[in-house]
Structure formats: structure tokens, C-alpha cells
Amino acid sequence: MQTRAKKKIDIVNGPMIPNIIRYTLPLIASAVVQKLYHTADNIIVGRYNGHVALAAVGSNTSLIHLILNLVMGLSIGANVLVAHSYGAKDEESIRQSVHTSVFVSMLGGLLVGMLGFFLAEPLLRLMDPPADVFPLALIYMKIYFLGAPASMVYNFCASILRAVGDTQKPMFFLTVSGIVNVLLNLIFVLVFEMGVAGVALATIISQYISMVMVLVYLTHLKDCCRLELKKLKIHKDKFLKILHVGIPSGIQSSVFSLSNVFLQGAVNSFDNSALMAGNSAAGQIDAFVHLVATNLSRAAMTFTAQNYGAKKIKNIHKVVINCILLTIAATLVLGSLCMLFARPLLGIFIDDNPEAVSYGIERMQIVVTTYALNGIMSILASSQRGMGSSVIPAIVTLVGACGLRILWIYTVFAAAPSLFMLFLCYPVTWSVTAAVHFLFYMRHHKKIERQYAVSLAE
């Protein structure tokens, strides 16, 4: 019990900057592990089963993410719900939040799994993959959706642990399941020659392993976060709060990918394969900088939510300021390192193609060096979710970071179609969206201060 307690970070009362760093580092490590073992999937299937099998795995990735992101957004609602109750030290509310969240994840996972499995063929036809790719892509998609229940339950349970300050255990579970995934890939593909089906099967087995580990851990806790399977039920007020915070977040995650589709279309409009390769390689590199910004924004959400629950309203400004300062420092350091080693890093993906490398560097000079703006935007949005407001930050992000980006492509870029003008849309839309988020953040914070002052007066 003592060991477990030490793994939880005292978010409300502890030293803020060290605690934010301690909280965020396992999140970043988890994201890197996840990215690496997904990359291993592609390498194994591509190397040992050829380009058609690789295309089958990659052809439905965007569709799978579009569907799963919608429901996974609900786990953000679970995180905020539990963090509010934990910050308020309301043990009964914590118990109800935990059992409602896990029950919702089980029902939601079963629903998504069944819908994904039985609708896989018509959904995949919407993507119109090549005839030789379609049969393998359909097999991959059907098997993948059989793992949806495990994926949802794990993500909800991990959100519960992160909400109370424990990011190490989810990282451990994910690391173990990731290693199992890679090993099973090798066994199923090389030994049993199962191809795409083997890759999909390895993925869902690893997902169920992580689900079992996190469920067993929760059932053995000795505090108010303990999960008791016989007490699983939906408490209406908790369920509605999960939906209130989670649905807008899920919609934002799903729709956000649409702007990237338009950006890719704009890149393709140059009809230059070297440019496309350089852009793709640079995107793989700046994704690691993005991981830092994204996970610091998750830290901001949890720290804000717990302090909101504890009614330490003044701490919320400190959380936001410290997370922004850490994001600026981290992204500037990582961005500088990326630029310093740009050529060798790009060479990993596009060896012996100087033209593609030069295009990749051009993108990195604009995007990687300004990623702090993306971090600030995300932190301001996440802190509002931590205070229980999810609809407005979702709308602002969709209009600013998505709608404005698409508008830029059809106006500014259309008038001056250069690579510089295309990639400039990233820092411009991040800046505008962050400014609007700041205004709504201040407005919501003042509203909470007034509500708290009234409650004290009563």
C-alpha cells in the first residue's frame, strides 16, 4: 500500500513544476513506446509480406482512428470526472466515478467492436482501396475491431489512474503489451506465415493483455479507487458528466484529421514525389515534438481538474503558466535539435534523395521551430476541459485549427502556391486559435471565481 501511494503524485499540494515533469515523462514514454511498436508492425509486415500487405495495414488506419477517436474522447471525460472528485476528496464520488467509467468503457467497447466488425466491408469500400489490397485490408479491419473492447477499457482505466496522479503504471502496462505485440508479430508472421491476419491478431492480443493487467491492478487497490466488479453500474450524474466533457473531445479528435487530408491534398497538388517524400519524413520527425506538447496539455488538464475539484482556483493559473513555460522550453530544445540534425534524421527515411531532404528541411524550418504555439493552444484548451468546459474549446479548435487551415489553403495558398505559404498555415492557425482559447479560458476562470466566492458567502 505504501509503495502504491508513493507512485501517486500529490497534484494539489506538491511542488508544481517537478510534479508536472514527473507526471508528464511517463506519458511521453508511453506515447513513444506506442509509436515504436506500431512502426514495428509496418516494418515486419512490409518486409516479410510485401507492399500489398503493408498497403492493407495502412489503407484503413485513418478510418479506424476516425471511429476510435470519437469514442476514446469519452476517456477524457472519465479523467476529468475522477480528477474533480479526487481533488475534492469525495471518496463516494470517486467510487461512483470509477465504476461508472469502467462500465461505460465495457459497454462502449462492445458496441464499437460489433459495429466495426459487421460494418467493416461497407466502411472500407468508402475508402476505395485497390482491388488487390481490399481482401487483406478487410481481414485486418475485422480482426482489429475485435480488440476495440480491450482498447476502450484500457484507455478508460488508464485515464482513472492518471486522474489521481499515477502515470507510471499505465506506462508499465503499455510497455509490456508493446513488447508482447512485437514478439507475436514475429511469431505469427515469420513462423506461422499468417501475414496481415497475424499482425492484427498480435495487436488485439496485446490490447487484451494490457486490459487484464490494468483491471487486475485496479481490483487490488486498497483505496477509494478500487474497482469492485459487482459494483459496476452507471450513475446517471457521472455518466452525463463523462458525455458532457468526452463527446466534444471525441468529435474534435475525429474531425481534426480532416484538415490534414486537405493539407496532404495541397502537398500532392505540386505533383512532386520528392516533395511528398520530404513532407512525409519531416512529419514523422516533428511527431515526436508533438508528443511533448500533447502530453504536457494532458498534464495541464489533470492538474487543472484536481485543483478545480479541491476548489484551489488560484492554482489553476499557476498550472497553465508552468505548463506553457515547460512546453516552450521543451519544444524549443527539441526543435533546435531536430534542425541541428535535420539531414541525418531525414536520411533515415529518405536516404540518397537530396531533393526530398531539402523539402523536408523546408517544412521543418517552419513547423518544428514553432511547435511551442501548438503546445500553448493545446494547454489552454485542455485547462478549460479540466474546469469542466469541453464544448467551447472543441468548437474553437475545430474552427481555428481546422476550419481556418482549410480556408488558408483555398485563399492564401491558392493565391501564392508555394511550399512556404502552405506550411505557414501551421503557426498562423496555432497562434490565432491559442489567442481565442486564452480569451475563453480567462472568461471561464473568472466565472468559476465568482461561483466560488458566492459559495463561500453562503
Side-chain angles (χ1 to χ4, degrees):
M1 184 174 176
Q2 184 69 20
T3 302
R4 283 173 181 164
K6 285 182 179 179
K7 291 187 184 300
K8 290 181 183 176
I9 298 169
D10 188 351
I11 286 174
V12 174
N13 300 305
M16 193 166 288
I17 289 184
N19 279 348
I20 291 173
I21 294 172
R22 281 181 58 207
Y23 183 92
T24 307
L25 286 177
L27 288 178
I28 295 172
S30 297
V32 170
V33 168
Q34 220 166 7
K35 187 171 179 60
L36 288 176
Y37 80 67
H38 283 314
T39 302
D41 284 356
N42 291 327
I43 292 173
I44 291 169
V45 75
R47 177 159 292 187
Y48 296 103
N49 289 102
H51 70 279
V52 175
L54 180 59
V57 173
S59 64
N60 51 28
T61 300
S62 59
L63 179 59
I64 288 172
H65 287 172
L66 188 70
I67 296 169
L68 290 182
N69 283 343
L70 184 60
V71 290
M72 289 304 179
L74 294 176
S75 67
I76 293 176
N79 179 285
V80 172
L81 175 67
V82 175
H84 282 178
S85 300
Y86 196 82
K89 300 186 184 302
D90 187 338
E91 293 193 0
E92 182 56 30
S93 179
I94 294 170
R95 292 189 187 95
Q96 292 181 5
S97 299
V98 167
H99 288 89
T100 299
S101 297
V102 175
F103 197 43
V104 167
S105 71
M106 290 178 174
L107 292 178
L110 287 172
L111 179 62
V112 172
M114 287 190 296
L115 288 175
F117 182 84
F118 290 109
L119 297 177
E121 185 169 350
L123 288 172
L124 192 57
R125 290 196 184 280
L126 292 175
M127 303 293 289
D128 195 25
D132 58 340
V133 172
F134 184 86
L136 292 177
L138 182 60
I139 291 171
Y140 181 85
M141 193 171 182
K142 283 197 169 204
I143 297 175
Y144 192 96
F145 271 107
L146 292 176
S151 183
M152 276 201 72
V153 171
Y154 169 78
N155 277 282
F156 270 70
C157 292
S159 290
I160 291 169
L161 291 174
R162 290 165 183 155
V164 300
D166 185 355
T167 54
Q168 292 185 27
K169 271 293 181 281
M171 177 189 69
F172 172 76
F173 299 145
L174 196 62
T175 301
V176 171
S177 64
I179 293 171
V180 170
N181 181 54
V182 174
L183 292 175
L184 288 178
N185 268 332
L186 293 170
I187 293 170
F188 291 153
V189 173
L190 298 184
V191 179
F192 295 108
E193 298 182 351
M194 295 172 65
V196 167
V199 172
L201 190 60
T203 299
I204 69 168
I205 289 174
S206 67
Q207 288 172 340
Y208 277 100
I209 288 173
S210 61
M211 180 196 76
V212 170
M213 285 192 295
V214 75
L215 284 175
V216 169
Y217 181 75
L218 284 175
T219 56
H220 283 78
L221 288 175
K222 303 299 183 184
D223 56 23
C224 53
C225 292
R226 181 182 180 184
L227 175 66
E228 298 178 64
L229 297 179
K230 63 182 180 181
K231 292 185 178 180
L232 285 174
K233 63 175 289 187
I234 291 180
H235 297 271
K236 184 179 177 181
D237 59 326
K238 309 301 181 187
F239 177 60
L240 292 176
K241 191 167 184 179
I242 289 174
L243 295 182
H244 174 72
V245 176
I247 287 179
S249 301
I251 292 173
Q252 175 189 312
S253 298
S254 296
V255 178
F256 197 86
S257 58
L258 289 177
S259 65
N260 293 327
V261 173
F262 282 92
L263 273 167
Q264 186 61 49
V267 170
N268 294 348
S269 70
F270 287 98
D271 195 23
N272 185 326
S273 59
L275 190 157
M276 293 170 66
N279 177 67
S280 178
Q284 294 290 324
I285 294 167
D286 66 45
F288 285 95
V289 184
H290 178 68
L291 288 179
V292 175
T294 297
N295 287 293
L296 275 166
S297 72
R298 289 176 181 171
M301 182 177 69
T302 301
F303 276 66
T304 298
Q306 273 208 31
N307 280 283
Y308 174 86
K311 295 186 177 179
K312 294 196 172 185
I313 309 303
K314 291 183 180 179
N315 276 359
I316 293 175
H317 278 334
K318 295 178 184 177
V319 169
V320 173
I321 291 170
N322 284 321
C323 284
I324 286 175
L325 290 175
L326 286 170
T327 298
I328 292 172
T331 54
L332 284 178
V333 170
L334 287 174
S336 299
L337 288 173
C338 285
M339 291 310 305
L340 184 62
F341 299 102
R343 291 189 181 278
L345 287 172
L346 289 165
I348 295 172
F349 300 92
I350 42 177
D351 192 26
D352 297 328
N353 193 330
E355 185 184 1
V357 168
S358 67
Y359 285 127
I361 290 174
E362 189 170 352
R363 172 190 160 120
M364 289 172 64
Q365 285 173 336
I366 301 170
V367 178
V368 171
T369 58
T370 59
Y371 241 113
L373 297 171
N374 174 276
I376 294 168
M377 176 190 76
S378 299
I379 287 166
L380 290 168
S382 294
S383 60
Q384 292 175 71
R385 293 191 182 95
M387 291 185 282
S389 173
S390 186
V391 175
I392 288 177
I395 292 173
V396 171
T397 301
L398 290 175
V399 173
C402 297
L404 186 58
R405 197 171 288 176
I406 295 170
L407 180 64
W408 177 281
I409 291 170
Y410 285 102
T411 55
V412 178
F413 172 69
S418 67
L419 209 56
F420 174 80
M421 293 307 296
L422 176 61
F423 294 140
L424 190 62
C425 77
Y426 283 106
V428 169
T429 54
W430 289 337
S431 300
V432 172
T433 309
V436 178
H437 273 313
F438 176 75
L439 295 176
F440 278 106
Y441 162 79
M442 292 300 297
R443 179 184 172 214
H444 192 65
H445 191 277
K446 288 178 181 178
K447 178 183 175 182
I448 292 171
E449 283 184 323
R450 288 194 298 268
Q451 289 173 345
Y452 184 50
V454 169
S455 66
L456 286 177
E458 293 174 348

